[in-house]
Every structure is written in C-alpha cells, then in structure tokens.
Amino acid sequence: MRKVLSLLLFIVFSQLQAQQPEKWNSSEIFQEIKKLNFLGSVLYVAAHPDDENTRLISYLSNELNARTAYLSLTRGDGGQNLIGPQLREMLGIIRTQELLAARKIDGGEQFFTRANDFGYSKNPEETLQIWNEQEILKDVVRTIRSFKPDIVINRFNANSAGETHGHHTSSAVLSQRAFKLAGESEAFPQLAQSLGTWQPKKLFFNTSPWFYDSQEAFEATDKSNFLEMDTGVYYPLKGMSNTEIASLSRSQHQSQGFGSTGTRGETPEYIELIGGQHPEGSEALFAGINTTWSRVEGGKEIGQILKNVEENYDFKDPSASVPQLVKAYSLILKLKDAHWKKIKSAEITEIIAACAGLYLEAVSEESLATPGEEINLNLEAINRSDLKMQLSEVKILPAGRSVELKNPLQNNEPWLEKVSAVIPEETEYTSPYWLQKKGSLGMYHVETPELIGLPETPRQVKVEFQVQMDGQNIPFRRNVVYRKNDPVKGETYQPFEIVPPISVSTADDVLIFANHAPKMVPVTLRAMKDSVSGTLEIKQLSSWKIEPVSYSFGPLQKGEEITFTFEVTAPDFQNSALLQPVAIIGSEEYSKEVVRLDYEHIPMQTLVLPAETKLVKLNVQKNGKLIGYLEGAGDAVPRALEQMGYTVDLLSPQDISSEVLKKYDAVVLGIRAFNVVDALQHKNAELFQYVHDGGNLIVQYNTSRGLVTTDLAPYPLQLSRDRVTNEDAKVEFLNEDHPVLNFPNKITSEDFEGWVQERGLYFPNEWSSEFTPVLSMHDTGEAPKQGSLLIAPYGKGNYIYTGLSFFREFPAGVPGAFRLFANMLSLKNATQTKPSK
C-alpha cells in the first residue's frame, strides 16, 4: 500500500501555498461579511470526489452567499491514480485532500460518510448491499441533522439504475430517503437525541442534458418544475467569472486528471424539484425560506448591525468595521439557537481578525512530536491597525498550559514569545480517523461517532489567543504548525504531527518468493524522539523460517535510522503469511510506520499505519529474463516483475525503437499509457516493428476516452467501457490449449481465486480476426465478455492486449495473477518447454 520510496514517503514536490495561513485582502473580507449576513444552507450530495458540480457549488457560495457543503459518500479509494502509485486507502487520502483544496477555492465545506469506494458497481442493489445500506443512510441523516441544510441537491438521479455507476444512483436513493427521515424523531433515535431532528425545505436533482438521450430531448422536456441559474456570473471583486473559479476548483482533482480550462459567459444550470415545496413561479432558489438574521430568536438586532457594516464597509480601512462587528459578536454569544450561534460566532471571529490585520501564529520548532514530549513554540501576535486591543491570555491545548497577560497590542508592534509545553501522554497519533481500525469491503470502521462525517481528523495541538477589544474577550484558536525557510522557495509550512516514539517499516507491502531461495528482508527503525532503545522482533510464522529471532537497538536519537535484516525462507508449497515486525521499548510494543505523503497541491499528510508485509510463496515458472517497461499512469507492476526474478528496465519514449527494443524478452506498456504518454501517438510503428521482428508486446488497459491514438494494435481493435466488477466472477477458458494458459505454468480456475476489487476494465468489444480471445467472464445478468485477454501473432512475434486488473492484483499478492502474467511474458518461447502445474 505505501512502501513506494522509503520510510517517509516523499513524492518530492514541495509545499508552498497548500498550507500557508489565510490572509484575506479587503475584497475577500467584504465577501465574508456578505456571507455572515446570509443564514441559509445548501447540501450537495453525490458519490465520489470529483462528482460534485463545482460551478453550482461556487455559485451558491459566492453569488448567493449560502453556506454550502458537498457530501461525498466515499473518499474515492477505488479509483485510479494519475499522479503516483498510491491506490486504495492511500489514494483515498489524496482524494480527500483534493476535495478540501477544491472547497477552499469555491468556498464550500466538505463531508463524507463511512462508505468505502470498493470499485465500480453496475447497480445500486449491489452497492447498497456491500455498503451496509442502513449505516450509510444513517450517516447521510447524521449530516443533514448536523449541517441543517434548508435545501438538498442531488447530483444524480435515483431512477438511473443500470444507466450509471451504482454508487451514483445509490447516492441519490439514500439522499431522497434521508431527506424525509432526518425530520422524524423515530428514525435513528439516538442521533435524534444527540443532534435533534431537521427537515430541509426542498430537495432538487441537478439535472442536465447529460441525463437525457440528447440535447434535443432535454430542450423538449417540460421544465415547469425546473429552476434555471446562470452560473457564468462575473465577480468584479474577484476579477473572475464563477465558471473560472469552478475550473480552478475542479482542477484540484489532479489524481483523476480533471484539469479544467476556465470559461466565461452564460452557463445555465438546472435543478428539478423532487421533494418539498417551492413557491410557484419563483426563480429564486431560497424563495419561501427566511435567510435573514430574523430567522433566529434575538437575531434581528444582529442583522441590523451587520447590515450597517456591509453597507458602510471601507475597502481602504476595514478596521473601521471592527467596533460594530465586536458588538454583533457579543450579541451572537447570547443566542439561544446553538446551531447558528456556533457557526456565526466562528465566522465573525475570523472577520474581526482580518479587519484588524490581527495576525496570530503558533509555530513549533519541530514538525513531529511524541506523546509525553516537551515542545518549544514560538508565538506571535500583531495588531496592524489603530484599534485598541490587549492580549489577555494564551492557552496551549491540550497541554493545559495557560499564560495570563495584560499586553497591549499596539499598531504594527509584534508580540513574540517562546514557550514550552508537554504533549499529554494520552494524545492520539496523527492519522486519518477512518483508517485507525480495520473496516470491511464496503465500510470504514469508526469508533468515535463524533468524528463520522468529518473530512479529516481534527488537529489536537492548538493555541488559543484571548484578545480583548472594546471590553469583549474574543478567543482566536490557531493550529500549531511547523514553518521553515527553504533556500529556494522561501517560507514553507507543514502541519505539526503527533507520532509514536519509533517508526517501524518494511520495504514492501508484498514480497514474492518465486523459487526456493531465501530472501533478505530489511526492517527499518526510525527514532521519532531522543534516546530510544529496545528490541526488534518478528513473530514466527507457521511454515515460514525467519532468522534471527530478534535484534537489540539503541539508543537512537531523533531522526536516526537503523536497518536490520532478517532472512526469510518460504515453504516448499504455495502459501501466504503476514510478516509483522514489532519494536519493544520497555513494556510497550510498537508496530506502526510513520508515512508522509507530500504533493504540491495538497497539504503534507502524515499517517501512522500498521507495518506489515504480505509474504507470498508462488509455484511459478518463468521464461526469459529482461523486460522493458514503459510506465503509464503509475502502477506497481515493475516492482512485482522484479520480485518474480525479472530484470526490468524502465523505458522512456525515446527508447522506443525496434533497434533498442530487440534485446528484451518482452516489452510491457503500463496502465493507461495510451492515455497519458503523448509520445506514443508517434511510436506505434516502432512497437509494431518490434513485434514483427519476433518481440512480445503486452499492452495493459487504457480508458476508451482520451486516447493519444486509436491505433493501439497492428490490427483493428476497439476499446469499450465493458468491465467485470465482480472479482469472483466465473472465468471460462475459450481456448484451453492456447500457450498463454499452458506455458510455462498451467493456468486453471484456481488462479482466478482471491482476486480483489474487479476482474478487469475497459475491455475491447470489437477486434479483427487475427486476435484470439482467451478468456470469457461476465457479471451477473450480463452477456459474456471475451475481450479481457486478446492475443494476435504479428510477423514473428505476439501482440497482447489485456484489460485484466494486474495493477490491483500484484499489490494484493494474488498468486494466479503472477502466474498468468509470467505466461504472457514467456509467450515468445511458448513452444520450447512443457508447462508446470
């Protein structure tokens, strides 16, 4: 899952903008004041990261000033990754942060359920069964009751079963049911007791021509129940159209290749009323809903004050608004409505700070700390206005340390202080809360109900600055961060993280034993604090021999690494086991690795994950030694081939010539190579010549859209969107005597047991007679699909196209996938040796 580069996984993109503190300019402050004066909320619901309509979310947030949130039922773990090798849970981490980056641009908030994106699903019945329908429905109800939207908008149609991804349809089905149940106290009564009930006023479906047979059919449909909004509106204060903002937001989904070019001009969006009531003839989304401060008891006076602030806002001197804002803040604290009190007090607090030019920061001298460790913090507070204010107290949380002050903050005179604090022993490690316990195929396991729905684990270490203005104490909380100066990039920020005293890591998620030779397995320890000593052990495994039993280590100083090597010998028979190293320090055992993901467009992510390697003994034979591999969108196939005993050369497009390639026993194109490697549109002649001269070319799956060339093969071959999503779907052999099923390994139905997530995807559905289809498979209720593995002789060699998901099966250590791929690599010499069973 995570062993791609080293103990700390750095993808060598530096953080510049992703984590710097927000510093609003005068126009941005004014926009926030307008939002402060609007008490209406919209919840947008869909299935995956990148499903959301950023044009509509941005419009609702920036044009209507509504509190807008996107509920993505999953974190997108089942997708592919165009920017790196991470899949499954690690990809879910990336896509979660991409959504948060998108919301930071378009002004929305972000929520999730516990649904796990288990991969493509062809119908909602399968989806809801795997997800645990009632629990995910409960999560949607939870979000509605906590967010309290006036309006819910579905991205997808609940009546689209079989027409789109089963997750898509399920998101709409669950949203429609939750819309009704959220207001009923009998539905999920424990939630009702803790959160109360809430009944949204309206439910819409965000329809478009995409949901119709054609543009003409959409134009001809009865739109009397539709609302139309022009989301192409221009914002002078931002210097951009709404659609340009939406494109910037959409472009944060880099792992999915959703870079978007900004547009300008009219851009209609349509929503269809499918629940609740909307005043007839009104085009206003919030028609019939009170969105002023008068909707809450005691809010009328607050509204009058804040309306005056908005009307008299001085763009050259925002601090002139602070006295009135402080007055409104004191009234907000007296509200009986706990929901709006919490939301609006948080909003106005940050507006006050921005208007006053009040900068508050708490910087740790180290990026990592352990429970029980003392940390040093550099605190800064500066008032950049003529307003009178006083720093009265600083609290360090959760350390419990408090420093009482009576320090006036004069205009542009910084208050700087260095303080120390001890991280409490019970402080939990930094890690995504939904990955702390093992879940199921369709559900994350979350033990703390209060965390369910949150986009990420709340930061524990904070500093609260109490600042007194006009006789009112106002608390401003800031997360502790780590800041450093990069000689090239200047000021850079990272989150401050809590980690275990020792990080334990193995080099590979899966280790393949393709013969009887033992392997030397390195285990690396990295001290996360000073003076760490103990013993490293690996628990003995049945049928596997591990030597030595243990090592002593230490004392290690913070940041110091040491690697120990264990000799592992596999049994004679095909088998798998889980190797789990444990570092014992005193009476405590530590068996987790500190992993850091660093991409340019999202904040650095620190995870504390189990350190383990799946050991797989294969009964596999192979023919040939040297493989050329052209990487595509990122996958683990090259490493898997190396573990099987092949020598793998990673090729560049410049290497693709028949003269260079002729030395290889086989050449393999990585997943989606014809989607992402532009140079391939000019290299097909060389690849085909390599085959013609006796080479063996394997092309792994490509998506049917966005191909750099449609000439994928030396003969006609047409890709489709056909796939088999049931990983246990029966596989039939169309030609049992074909060499790919017999040399050098005899492939049987057992080789298709234990596959994960799917059989394969984007199978060809049309091909010329030169191709031989080898396998047939299908999902329940569908016609057999024969395009998963196609082989055609060309000249003296063989061309192979496969949509089988080897890129998923290899990281999962599926034996049959290795055996079949070995046969594909060996096809060049398939008539020279008898098969091995």
Side-chain angles (χ1 to χ4, degrees):
M1 177 174 69
R2 61 195 180 282
K3 322 285 196 307
V4 183
L5 294 181
S6 65
L7 166 72
L8 300 182
L9 177 58
F10 291 100
I11 313 295
V12 260
F13 293 111
S14 296
Q15 292 297 315
L16 282 178
Q17 302 300 325
Q19 300 172 94
Q20 290 187 353
E22 288 187 281
K23 301 171 185 176
W24 295 339
N25 60 39
S26 187
S27 295
E28 289 168 330
I29 294 171
F30 182 66
Q31 178 69 24
E32 295 302 317
I33 290 173
K34 291 170 67 177
K35 290 183 178 182
L36 185 64
N37 270 330
F38 192 91
L39 277 68
S41 302
V42 182
L43 181 66
Y44 196 89
V45 182
H48 309 106
D50 72 45
D51 281 346
E52 83 276 28
N53 185 338
T54 56
R55 293 186 301 273
L56 192 53
I57 289 176
S58 179
Y59 177 85
L60 296 171
S61 177
N62 296 301
E63 175 64 14
L64 300 188
N65 297 310
R67 183 176 179 235
T68 308
Y70 173 42
L71 172 61
S72 176
L73 267 61
T74 77
R75 296 177 184 267
D77 306 55
Q80 283 85 52
N81 185 0
L82 294 183
I83 61 174
Q86 298 82 16
L87 294 174
R88 292 304 309 155
E89 292 86 354
M90 295 290 274
L91 177 58
I93 297 292
I94 293 171
R95 298 187 72 183
T96 293
Q97 291 299 319
E98 287 178 337
L99 272 179
L100 290 173
R103 297 294 80 76
K104 191 173 182 179
I105 291 171
D106 60 36
E109 299 177 43
Q110 186 62 53
F111 298 103
F112 294 93
T113 74
R114 290 170 291 165
N116 192 342
D117 179 2
F118 55 85
Y120 193 87
S121 177
K122 294 182 177 178
N123 59 76
E125 291 77 19
E126 177 196 49
T127 296
L128 295 174
Q129 181 181 13
I130 294 175
W131 272 355
N132 189 332
E133 181 176 353
Q134 279 299 108
E135 287 300 306
I136 302 305
L137 175 62
K138 180 179 179 181
D139 287 358
V140 180
V141 169
R142 180 193 300 273
T143 302
I144 292 175
R145 286 176 176 173
S146 59
F147 185 72
K148 292 180 169 48
D150 299 302
I151 296 167
V152 177
I153 302 177
N154 292 342
R155 180 56 172 145
F156 297 105
N157 188 347
N159 300 315
S160 63
E163 300 174 10
T164 183
H165 199 318
H167 296 182
H168 293 167
T169 306
S170 296
S171 71
V173 169
L174 294 175
S175 179
Q176 286 189 200
R177 291 173 59 190
F179 176 80
K180 297 177 181 179
L181 294 176
E184 300 176 3
S185 58
E186 298 81 7
F188 306 110
Q190 289 184 328
L191 278 184
Q193 187 174 4
S194 60
L195 298 174
T197 59
W198 180 258
Q199 181 57 61
K201 304 296 189 298
K202 307 174 188 180
L203 175 65
F204 291 95
F205 161 43
N206 183 196
T207 189
S208 73
W210 188 83
F211 294 97
Y212 289 75
D213 292 335
S214 64
Q215 178 71 36
E216 293 75 17
F218 177 72
E219 291 175 355
T221 194
D222 178 13
K223 296 185 178 64
S224 59
N225 217 27
F226 288 18
L227 293 185
E228 180 180 348
M229 292 170 279
D230 178 14
T231 62
V233 62
Y234 175 66
Y235 304 127
L237 292 181
K238 296 177 179 291
M240 288 188 290
S241 294
N242 182 73
T243 44
E244 292 175 294
I245 296 172
S247 292
L248 293 174
S249 173
R250 185 72 170 168
S251 296
Q252 299 310 301
H253 296 295
Q254 293 185 18
S255 68
Q256 305 307 296
F258 281 147
S260 176
T261 300
T263 61
R264 288 145 294 280
E266 292 184 3
T267 309
E269 283 289 339
Y270 300 90
I271 56 175
E272 177 184 0
L273 185 70
I274 57 175
Q277 300 294 322
H278 183 79
E280 186 174 349
S282 175
E283 291 295 320
L285 178 63
F286 282 92
I289 300 172
N290 184 358
T291 60
T292 71
W293 275 96
S294 64
R295 78 178 290 172
V296 297
E297 183 181 347
K300 186 176 180 179
E301 183 180 357
I302 298 170
Q304 292 172 342
I305 294 171
L306 294 178
K307 190 65 176 177
N308 182 62
V309 169
E310 183 178 336
E311 291 174 350
N312 295 284
Y313 180 73
D314 187 342
F315 283 86
K316 293 184 178 180
D317 182 18
S319 66
S321 298
V322 170
Q324 290 291 92
L325 288 169
V326 172
K327 183 178 180 181
Y329 171 78
S330 65
L331 293 174
I332 290 173
L333 294 184
K334 298 176 183 178
L335 290 177
K336 295 179 181 179
D337 188 315
H339 175 71
W340 286 112
K341 175 181 177 179
K342 179 180 178 181
I343 294 168
K344 294 302 180 180
S345 61
E347 288 180 6
I348 199 170
T349 295
E350 295 308 313
I351 292 172
I352 290 170
C355 285
L358 178 61
Y359 185 81
L360 304 165
E361 189 173 66
V363 177
S364 169
E365 294 183 353
E366 300 283 346
S367 64
L368 304 170
T370 63
E373 185 176 356
E374 185 176 65
I375 60 171
N376 293 318
L377 299 178
N378 292 307
L379 307 180
E380 177 182 355
I382 183 170
N383 165 27
R384 291 169 290 182
S385 72
D386 289 327
L387 295 168
K388 291 184 179 181
M389 62 182 72
Q390 177 177 281
L391 183 62
S392 57
E393 187 178 12
V394 174
K395 297 178 181 178
I396 302 170
L397 308 171
R401 181 171 178 187
S402 178
V403 181
E404 292 189 6
L405 303 162
K406 290 185 178 180
N407 192 86
L409 294 177
Q410 305 292 347
N411 188 356
N412 219 30
E413 294 182 9
W415 174 84
L416 303 172
E417 190 75 25
K418 177 179 284 189
V419 299
S420 61
V422 176
I423 303 296
E425 291 283 358
E426 64 273 14
T427 306
E428 295 186 356
Y429 304 142
T430 300
S431 206
Y433 69 85
W434 61 95
L435 297 181
Q436 291 177 1
K437 298 290 183 180
K438 186 174 179 61
S440 63
L441 173 63
M443 289 278 295
Y444 295 118
H445 179 74
V446 181
E447 289 190 336
T448 305
E450 292 75 20
L451 294 176
I452 295 173
L454 298 182
E456 55 187 345
T457 307
R459 294 284 162 182
Q460 299 178 78
V461 186
K462 303 173 181 286
V463 171
E464 181 177 284
F465 297 84
Q466 289 273 354
V467 180
Q468 189 177 90
M469 301 182 191
D470 289 340
Q472 177 70 53
N473 260 330
I474 304 176
F476 299 89
R477 286 194 174 186
R478 297 291 181 264
N479 293 330
V480 170
V481 296
Y482 173 67
R483 183 183 64 195
K484 65 178 181 179
N485 183 71
D486 184 280
V488 176
K489 301 176 177 65
E491 185 179 60
T492 60
Y493 282 81
Q494 294 176 12
F496 174 73
E497 316 286 15
I498 306 300
V499 296
I502 192 86
S503 174
V504 184
S505 66
T506 55
D508 295 284
D509 282 324
V510 176
L511 196 57
I512 302 301
F513 292 74
N515 52 43
H516 298 293
K519 286 183 180 283
M520 305 307 292
V521 179
V523 177
T524 299
L525 302 179
R526 180 181 176 92
M528 312 309 289
K529 61 182 293 187
D530 286 334
S531 303
V532 179
S533 301
T535 303
L536 174 64
E537 297 181 356
I538 294 183
K539 297 177 180 179
Q540 294 299 305
L541 304 172
S542 176
S543 303
W544 293 75
K545 183 180 179 182
I546 301 175
E547 294 182 334
V549 175
S550 65
Y551 288 98
S552 295
F553 65 87
L556 304 177
Q557 302 309 308
K558 190 170 187 175
E560 185 177 355
E561 283 188 1
I562 187 170
T563 299
F564 298 101
T565 303
F566 294 84
E567 184 180 83
V568 178
T569 304
D572 293 333
F573 50 90
Q574 189 160 293
N575 185 258
S576 64
L578 200 61
L579 182 145
Q580 297 173 303
V582 177
I584 302 172
I585 302 174
S587 60
E588 298 294 326
E589 293 187 354
Y590 300 92
S591 59
K592 293 188 176 182
E593 175 185 11
V594 178
V595 182
R596 307 192 91 174
L597 277 173
D598 197 2
Y599 281 101
E600 188 176 33
H601 64 303
I602 59 175
M604 180 185 290
Q605 297 299 296
T606 298
L607 303 88
V608 181
L609 301 173
E612 54 191 31
T613 293
K614 184 177 181 180
L615 306 176
V616 179
K617 173 61 168 61
L618 291 180
N619 286 335
V620 61
Q621 300 295 320
K622 60 186 183 64
N623 189 276
K625 295 181 179 180
L626 186 60
I627 308 298
Y629 197 98
L630 178 69
E631 292 183 296
D635 58 68
V637 173
R639 175 60 179 154
L641 301 184
E642 289 175 341
Q643 289 201 31
M644 290 171 68
Y646 291 100
T647 298
V648 180
D649 289 347
L650 295 180
L651 305 175
S652 68
Q654 292 73 30
D655 297 324
I656 299 178
S657 70
S658 55
E659 186 63 28
V660 172
L661 299 181
K662 68 181 181 181
K663 66 181 178 180
Y664 294 108
D665 296 303
V667 171
V668 183
L669 302 191
I671 61 174
R672 298 177 73 168
F674 279 107
N675 296 119
V676 300
V677 183
D678 289 337
L680 282 179
Q681 61 185 306
H682 309 298
K683 292 292 185 177
N684 278 0
E686 298 286 356
L687 288 170
F688 300 158
Q689 187 63 49
Y690 160 74
V691 178
H692 191 273
D693 293 343
N696 189 28
L697 177 65
I698 300 172
V699 179
Q700 297 181 83
Y701 100 94
N702 294 269
T703 62
S704 54
R705 296 178 183 175
L707 293 165
V708 299
T709 176
T710 56
D711 296 326
L712 306 182
Y715 306 115
L717 180 74
Q718 181 69 45
L719 298 187
S720 73
R721 297 180 64 84
D722 288 351
R723 61 176 78 203
V724 175
T725 61
N726 182 356
E727 61 268 38
D728 298 319
K730 184 179 179 181
V731 177
E732 296 182 355
F733 300 154
L734 299 174
N735 187 345
E736 293 188 359
D737 295 328
H738 196 285
V740 80
L741 298 178
N742 292 278
F743 176 81
N745 305 284
K746 178 65 176 177
I747 303 301
T748 71
S749 59
E750 292 181 1
D751 289 296
F752 290 93
E753 294 177 359
W755 283 51
V756 299
Q757 187 158 330
E758 62 202 0
R759 289 296 190 198
L761 63 172
Y762 291 96
F763 297 162
N765 63 350
E766 295 181 21
W767 52 84
S768 67
S769 60
E770 287 83 0
F771 283 99
T772 297
V774 178
L775 305 173
S776 176
M777 59 190 72
H778 63 91
D779 285 320
T780 302
E782 295 186 349
K785 294 177 172 54
Q786 300 182 352
S788 64
L789 181 57
L790 301 173
I791 301 175
Y794 181 64
K796 299 177 183 178
N798 292 287
Y799 174 94
I800 303 174
Y801 189 93
T802 180
L804 294 171
S805 297
F806 291 103
F807 73 103
R808 296 197 191 279
E809 311 316 315
F810 287 167
V814 178
F818 287 91
R819 286 165 49 83
L820 179 57
F821 209 91
N823 283 15
M824 292 160 56
L825 293 170
S826 305
L827 196 57
K828 179 179 179 180
N829 301 311
T831 60
Q832 298 181 10
T833 306
K834 293 181 179 180
S836 171
K837 294 185 178 181

